[in-house]
Amino acid sequence: MTEVKAEPGSPLAVVLSQLDDDQAQDIVTIPLEGKSSIADHMVIASGRSTRQVASMAQKLAERIKKEGHGPVRLEGLPAADWVLIDGGDVVVHLFRPEVRSFYNLERMWAFGDAPPVASGNA
């Protein structure tokens, strides 16, 4: 996949910074311009447990709002196997590794260009 550059202060930069702060794993950014009208970018990341996924989702939603990037919708709490954060210009999918491997969104949005995602079980 292509390397995506985030403009400082942009919604994408805020998302990537917060996910890095929260030690999200296997962060992938997919540019959606020209592929979908739902958002400009999709970010997919993993957490080690449902507790970490839930915590990351809540912190990310708060940070997006605090930085002035509009209202945020969360779907998938409290189960937190797969949480969707709709931040307007950026849609974020946070998964437990096993669930991420099963759905493999990277492959779907890359139209077959993405390698399979490891489930993290060693």
Side-chain angles (χ1 to χ4, degrees):
M1 277 184 227
T2 358
E3 182 68 28
V4 177
K5 299 287 183 204
E7 292 292 320
S10 70
L12 179 60
V14 169
V15 165
L16 295 176
S17 170
Q18 186 64 47
L19 290 176
D20 186 55
D21 289 352
D22 290 339
Q23 300 179 354
Q25 300 175 329
D26 303 321
I27 302 169
V28 173
T29 303
I30 301 171
L32 296 181
E33 289 184 83
K35 291 183 182 180
S36 174
S37 61
I38 62 170
D40 294 336
H41 299 282
M42 178 182 297
V43 177
I44 303 170
S46 298
R48 293 179 299 279
S49 66
T50 55
R51 181 174 281 161
Q52 185 190 20
V53 169
S55 175
M56 287 191 305
Q58 291 167 331
K59 287 180 181 178
L60 183 55
E62 289 169 17
R63 174 101 181 261
I64 291 170
K65 287 183 217 173
K66 180 181 150 199
E67 297 284 336
H69 295 295
V72 177
R73 290 193 47 200
L74 284 169
E75 298 288 336
L77 290 176
D81 286 332
W82 174 3
V83 179
L84 170 70
I85 299 103
D86 181 351
D89 291 338
V90 181
V91 173
V92 183
H93 296 270
L94 299 177
F95 290 98
R96 280 189 312 105
E98 303 80 21
V99 177
R100 181 177 179 175
S101 179
F102 179 79
Y103 287 102
N104 200 357
L105 293 183
E106 293 94 331
R107 176 171 237 155
M108 179 177 66
W109 280 97
F111 301 108
D113 296 337
V117 177
S119 69
N121 294 344

